[in-house]
Amino acid sequence: MPAKRARRPDDRPEEILDAAIDVFLENGFAAARMEEIAKRAGISKGAVYLYFNSKEALLEELVRRSAGRIATAANDFVARSAARDPADTLRQILRFAVRAMLDEKISAAPRIVIAEAPHSPRIAAFYRDEVIRRGSAALTQLIEIGAAQGVFRDVDPRIVLRCVMGPMLASVLLHHVFAAPDMPQPDPETLADEIADFILNGLVPRPEAAS
Amino acid sequence: MPAKRARRPDDRPEEILDAAIDVFLENGFAAARMEEIAKRAGISKGAVYLYFNSKEALLEELVRRSAGRIATAANDFVARSAARDPADTLRQILRFAVRAMLDEKISAAPRIVIAEAPHSPRIAAFYRDEVIRRGSAALTQLIEIGAAQGVFRDVDPRIVLRCVMGPMLASVLLHHVFAAPDMPQPDPETLADEIADFILNGLVPRPEAAS
Amino acid sequence: MPAKRARRPDDRPEEILDAAIDVFLENGFAAARMEEIAKRAGISKGAVYLYFNSKEALLEELVRRSAGRIATAANDFVARSAARDPADTLRQILRFAVRAMLDEKISAAPRIVIAEAPHSPRIAAFYRDEVIRRGSAALTQLIEIGAAQGVFRDVDPRIVLRCVMGPMLASVLLHHVFAAPDMPQPDPETLADEIADFILNGLVPRPEAAS
Amino acid sequence: MPAKRARRPDDRPEEILDAAIDVFLENGFAAARMEEIAKRAGISKGAVYLYFNSKEALLEELVRRSAGRIATAANDFVARSAARDPADTLRQILRFAVRAMLDEKISAAPRIVIAEAPHSPRIAAFYRDEVIRRGSAALTQLIEIGAAQGVFRDVDPRIVLRCVMGPMLASVLLHHVFAAPDMPQPDPETLADEIADFILNGLVPRPEAAS
DNA sequence: GATGAATGAGGTTTCATTCAT
DNA sequence: AATGAATGAAACCTCATTCAT
């Protein structure tokens, strides 16, 4: 019956979402308890509901806020420098993306999505439209530009999408989920560069056509 | 005497696991109900506990059964033909793996693991040891053989692991989770071959060293 | 200076009670939300508590204000004209009461009491003392006067109470709770007169005593 | 985690409904706690849900079981003896109904309905169709028969409905809700007879038309 | 006086697990 | 071996009430 806490700071929602990220990551969506989220945000259980209508709404807002950061960045990179140097553009995108994905906070949303999307059609659809589709568009455009310049092989962009997204995904999992002391992680910068090298190497035209 | 189609008691565990895959996939581990699993296995709720001690045990056994398949196959491929033709060995491994991963039933366990491992250390550890580590070992060995023969570049095997695992992961997600009618999937065979091409292309030495 | 239509601070309680009637009627006491009451009264949630200590207090005041209107009127009618014409007095009382009960606003309190009294002893006791007892007294007196004049049979007043209150209650429920399009309501005036006829008919002495 | 209690007796549902009646009566529907119902039924909270899907379902089944007992009886009485002796048929109906209504257990459902129907359209509709409409039909038929025989006045059946239902309603409330030690109840048999007398008196034709 | 953010007890409902039969 | 009734902990969400502003 009492009401102890001070007035609503404007960044309450932010704080709640931050707390939610942690709890979702630690327990998964279904096992995450609203009370735990509230406690970490420094407020009461009920107060969470002043800002978000349900646990599901919390998750959706979480995804909404983080989604597309990388896709947006990729589009920016392409718009800015793809015409000048497609290969370097890809390298920059990869550096940006790998670095982002290795940051606990930034990779949190994709990881949660991977976990929840299979049985949450709304989340899946939202992520597909906001992230996958836009990222795919950026990549497709980049490939086309590079191919037109003769810098890239003429590969199906869907393959490229899988070969670019994939290593980042794998890195996220190996760093955050399946890490083991005896399997040391490459450091992020090196990882980004080497993945970029690998992919670019796979993308450049072979001088003499294979057999 | 009526030959009532024998009690097939030995297939019980298998049937339960099959049912569990379906239910886990549809609802996620936390939301999966034991009663639903039992119903689909055609037995009673209590009977499940005659074969598996808990819901968690069910998941672990599931992982155990499907997990090593691909890693085992990879090791077999390497042992059998890596010395003779490393590139073709990798191509075969990729074909096998991509095909497997695009099969709903086979990719189910990895997908569930990706969803559950973040908050189920036992699952994570088991998967890491049974799948990641063994797959990594096969790949590392393959790279070493190929590098020694001059067929592959001398790349950090951890990068290769990420670049090989990754596209498959991405494919699984794009096929099973983020599929959309207007984003048609490449057909599995083509996909496997093109990913293999891409990775092999990234793995072969460049004729003239890049400046 | 703009004459903002004065702050009408004195009408506040009235406005709140009016809003409360609506909300209690629509949702029942337990499901009524203070915030909804506040909103309809055009003030904030907290402001309600400046006038009423609790939801229960709101209900009690509501009953207090409306209760006894009819009982008071009945007593007035009796005092004024029972000696002159008992039958007509009863007819007037019934007309007044039926008309009142068919008015949404006036019947609201009794309906709420009927709903809440069974599990709210204070409400029940209050209503019993303020309404039932006083109405009963008026009726008893009226019967006695009428019986002394030979205009009414000598009936147990408790029976009369039930036979007078009852049809009004039934009318309220049939009009406000169990109304159906295919069960058209008699119009209020007719209803009042016919009920009065019926009851008076039941109250007059039979010319020849029934065997 | 344990499971202590014995096998399901066939009358579990009955026991639960009995417990529910008590709790609903004491607290009203909204304030009734499932745990309390379970405790009184001698089972666990969860077990209630093996038999009823929700608290609302419990209420509906309660109403369903009790509803129409009286309406059914009324129809039976009319079918059996209305043609022979309409007045006595009405007297028998009233005796049956009053007796029933004064029984705590039997009047429970109507009282709950009166309390909940105003904000529970399904309950209201169900009760209207199962009880009001059928009771009304019985009464209408009875009046018509009686009027044809010249035993009853030709009164609007809707008035009769209100004048017959009403006194019973009033009796229920006065006996169960607004009872007070200093307002002694007429005993049920007498009450039934006197109400019947009163109503019949109101229903018989006046020998000479009132001026 | 007035506001509305905040609290937190409390209730319904679900479901993994047990065990009498 | 198999059943399925029963348990009870747990968790989401609501809302009357308070109080800092």
Side-chain angles (χ1 to χ4, degrees), chain B residues 76-90 92 142 145:
Chain B
D76 288 350
F77 279 121
V78 171
R80 206 178 311 133
S81 56
R84 196 170 355 103
D85 187 340
D88 189 62
T89 301
L90 180 56
Q92 286 184 51
L142 179 61
I145 292 173

Side-chain angles (χ1 to χ4, degrees), chain C:
Chain C
M1 304 250 156
K4 209 185 128 205
R5 194 66 178 98
R7 251 347 226 127
R8 83 232 124 103
D10 291 344
D11 310 350
R12 273 293 148 75
E14 206 84 32
E15 293 168 5
I16 296 172
L17 288 171
D18 278 352
I21 287 182
D22 291 346
V23 179
F24 286 158
L25 278 182
E26 281 170 29
N27 307 101
F29 176 75
R33 282 161 50 230
M34 290 297 267
E35 181 144 35
E36 180 66 20
I37 293 172
K39 194 205 297 176
R40 297 206 196 179
I43 57 176
S44 77
K45 204 180 357 167
V48 176
Y49 286 86
L50 297 174
Y51 301 93
F52 300 93
N53 288 322
S54 67
K55 191 159 79 160
E56 179 120 344
L58 213 42
L59 175 57
E60 281 181 19
E61 183 58 23
L62 211 57
V63 173
R64 186 166 297 118
R65 295 214 178 183
S66 94
R69 294 262 175 87
I70 294 177
T72 297
N75 275 292
D76 288 352
F77 279 120
V78 171
R80 206 180 311 135
S81 55
R84 199 177 346 109
D85 187 340
D88 189 61
T89 303
L90 181 56
R91 191 181 301 274
Q92 285 184 55
I93 290 175
L94 278 162
R95 261 196 204 140
F96 180 88
V98 168
R99 233 182 339 239
M101 294 300 258
L102 294 186
D103 178 312
E104 272 270 318
K105 287 291 182 205
I106 299 180
S107 74
R111 284 159 64 200
I112 294 170
V113 168
I114 290 173
E116 304 307 328
H119 39 91
S120 178
R122 290 182 55 178
I123 298 286
F126 181 78
Y127 205 77
R128 178 182 61 229
D129 295 338
E130 290 303 306
V131 182
I132 312 271
R133 219 186 283 277
R134 290 175 55 219
S136 177
L139 223 46
T140 302
Q141 198 190 343
L142 178 62
I143 300 302
E144 278 167 5
I145 292 172
Q149 294 185 8
V151 187
F152 292 160
R153 290 194 296 139
D154 184 26
V155 195
D156 183 339
R158 296 175 302 181
I159 304 301
V160 182
L161 178 66
R162 284 156 177 78
C163 290
V164 167
M165 268 184 59
M168 292 189 304
L169 260 175
S171 299
V172 168
L173 293 179
L174 287 169
H175 281 244
H176 296 305
V177 179
F178 299 116
D182 61 321
M183 299 170 68
Q185 311 297 337
D187 84 284
E189 297 307 315
T190 311
L191 183 62
D193 279 341
E194 296 222 24
I195 288 178
D197 276 348
F198 197 97
I199 289 174
L200 282 170
N201 205 41
L203 211 47
V204 296
R206 305 293 312 282
E208 58 253 63
S211 84

Side-chain angles (χ1 to χ4, degrees), chain A residues 10-20 41 52 62 65 69:
Chain A
D10 284 353
D11 38 6
R12 263 299 140 72
E14 208 86 32
E15 293 168 7
I16 296 171
L17 288 171
D18 279 351
F52 301 94
L62 211 58
R65 294 212 180 185
R69 294 264 173 85

Side-chain angles (χ1 to χ4, degrees), chain A residues 9 37 39 44 52 57 74 76 80 85 94 98 100 106 111 135 141 144 147 149 176-177 181 186 195 197 200 204 208:
Chain A
I37 294 174
K39 195 202 296 176
S44 75
F52 301 94
D76 288 350
R80 207 178 312 133
D85 187 340
L94 278 162
V98 168
I106 299 180
R111 285 158 63 200
Q141 199 190 343
E144 278 167 5
Q149 295 185 5
H176 295 305
V177 179
I195 289 180
D197 274 349
L200 283 170
V204 295
E208 58 252 62

